[in-house]
Amino acid sequence: MRGLTFLLAAIALPAALSAQTTFDAAVKAGEKLPRLHSLLVSRHGEIVLEHYYRGTRATSYENVKSASKSVISALIGIAIDRKLLPGVTTPISSYFPELAAAKDTRKSKVTIEDLLTMRSGLVETNRGYGVWVGSPNWVQYLLTRPMQQSPGEPMNYNTGNTHLLSAILTKVSGADTWSFAQNALGAPLGTTLAKWPRDPQGVYFGGNDMLLTPRQMVKFGELYLHQGRTGSKQVVSSKWVETSWEPRTRSLRSGHQYGYGWWITEFAGHSTKFAWGFGGQYIFVVPDLDLVVVTTSSVALGNDRREYRAELFEIVENLIVSKLAGV
């Protein structure tokens, strides 16, 4: 009888508790990474692992760096849904009329889609990042510098592209990007978004330095996992989610495919879409496993950032995705 009671109790264990045991190896592997701040796993809409390292907490805001590009993409999708933007084929000269008169006629052909996929051909900002953010007018810097290539050519990673998207959102929404984001995204998700840095003209930084808690990152990942819905609310159209996840180009540096602000790869045979921020800020979405994995890390990385990224990917792929593939 005692054995039967034990067996029935084991059967009745909540799924979250069973899953917690599944991730013991992932938690221990994370302890060996001195820069890791958090590791969260959400399955079937429930957080089944939430572990914080080195004094960080659930309420700690993290600089998610370029993972914010995925959020900016969502805001563009919402603006299109609300008819604030006609669509991705719209030339950005509609919002920056000075481009129509530019000597380099290629500038007038740059579209919103080119910005989303980082194939605009506009001046590359990442190598000259300090010069760009030190300039008195970030938007004008991007629009007036010589083109580096024609629009639509291979991807050239460029945070300037998403900053122009933030400037466009500011123009069409009648508010700043934070206000639009809070109204269109934060409120439906039941959360308050922190304000993040702005450029000298007051445009919220598009594509970097956004502040989110790990739980907010999970909520955002779940929004896309559920095809743009949260509860009964359709926050962003399912069509936009699907479109954003279509591979449209590939990074020559990382080899990963890229859509509209989202990266695409494969973990343990499962298609994985992810938001990627410098230093180890990730939102991984694995649709066929109904899974979201979030990591945050210190942004104070050295020359070992590629090794650190590989270690994080190994934890997610081998100790989380593979573990759940048969569950």
Side-chain angles (χ1 to χ4, degrees):
M1 188 68 181
R2 184 178 179 184
L4 178 60
T5 302
F6 178 81
L7 177 60
L8 291 174
I11 293 173
L13 278 173
L17 185 57
S18 301
Q20 181 75 39
T21 304
T22 301
F23 303 125
D24 282 350
V27 171
K28 290 179 181 177
E31 290 171 351
K32 297 178 182 179
L33 301 182
R35 296 190 181 93
L36 188 62
H37 284 178
S38 69
L39 175 62
L40 286 78
V41 176
S42 172
R43 186 95 192 277
H44 306 315
E46 178 184 3
I47 293 180
V48 294
L49 173 68
E50 184 172 21
H51 195 85
Y52 296 93
Y53 301 85
R54 291 154 200 99
T56 57
R57 302 174 182 175
T59 55
S60 298
Y61 280 98
E62 299 275 4
N63 183 343
V64 300
K65 305 301 283 185
S66 287
S68 56
K69 291 178 171 65
S70 304
V71 179
I72 294 293
S73 172
L75 296 177
I76 291 293
I78 293 170
I80 292 173
D81 292 341
R82 295 185 177 186
K83 310 301 182 185
L84 299 175
L85 292 170
V88 296
T89 60
T90 305
I92 66 171
S93 57
S94 300
Y95 310 102
F96 308 111
E98 60 268 38
L99 293 183
K103 290 183 179 179
D104 190 335
T105 58
R106 294 178 297 176
K107 288 187 176 182
S108 65
K109 298 176 182 177
V110 177
T111 66
I112 288 174
E113 182 175 60
D114 292 327
L115 297 181
L116 286 165
T117 58
M118 291 194 273
R119 294 185 297 172
S120 67
L122 295 171
V123 60
E124 196 270 329
T125 56
N126 282 37
R127 291 177 183 170
Y129 186 85
V131 175
W132 171 47
V133 298
S135 68
N137 190 316
W138 296 8
V139 170
Q140 287 305 305
Y141 180 98
L142 297 167
L143 300 179
T144 57
R145 294 300 183 277
M147 295 279 285
Q148 291 197 319
Q149 61 190 42
S150 297
E153 290 189 4
M155 175 187 191
N156 186 10
Y157 193 86
N158 187 347
T159 299
N161 285 281
T162 37
H163 188 63
L164 288 178
L165 290 174
S166 180
I168 291 171
L169 286 169
T170 301
K171 289 173 180 284
V172 302
S173 69
D176 55 60
T177 301
W178 174 82
S179 297
F180 183 65
Q182 179 55 37
N183 170 270
L185 197 58
L189 292 177
T191 191
T192 300
L193 301 176
K195 294 183 177 181
W196 64 96
R198 306 195 221 188
D199 73 8
Q201 282 63 51
V203 175
Y204 276 91
F205 203 161
N208 198 7
D209 289 348
M210 191 175 285
L211 302 171
L212 297 173
T213 68
R215 288 182 183 176
Q216 287 177 325
M217 295 167 73
V218 169
K219 283 179 177 286
F220 181 67
E222 288 178 339
L223 178 69
Y224 268 68
L225 179 66
H226 300 142
Q227 293 293 295
R229 292 183 68 84
T230 179
S232 61
K233 299 176 184 176
Q234 190 74 45
V235 178
V236 60
S237 69
S238 59
K239 181 180 179 182
W240 183 257
V241 173
E242 293 167 2
T243 300
S244 299
W245 283 350
E246 289 179 14
R248 299 175 185 278
T249 187
R250 186 184 295 272
S251 168
L252 296 177
R253 288 188 286 180
S254 71
H256 294 303
Q257 294 176 311
Y258 196 69
Y260 290 169
W262 285 87
W263 298 90
I264 301 104
T265 191
E266 189 175 280
F267 279 161
H270 298 270
S271 179
T272 302
K273 333 294 183 180
F274 63 103
W276 178 359
F278 177 84
Q281 329 311 319
Y282 289 104
I283 305 171
F284 298 100
V285 182
V286 190
D288 65 345
L289 293 180
D290 204 15
L291 174 68
V292 174
V293 181
V294 162
T295 70
T296 61
S297 307
S298 167
V299 297
L301 277 180
N303 295 327
D304 62 341
R305 61 184 181 275
R306 289 182 178 84
E307 290 82 357
Y308 181 70
R309 181 170 72 237
E311 290 171 326
L312 274 182
F313 275 39
E314 184 175 345
I315 289 173
V316 175
E317 180 172 19
N318 298 332
L319 302 180
I320 297 174
V321 175
S322 292
K323 292 281 187 183
L324 292 176
V327 177

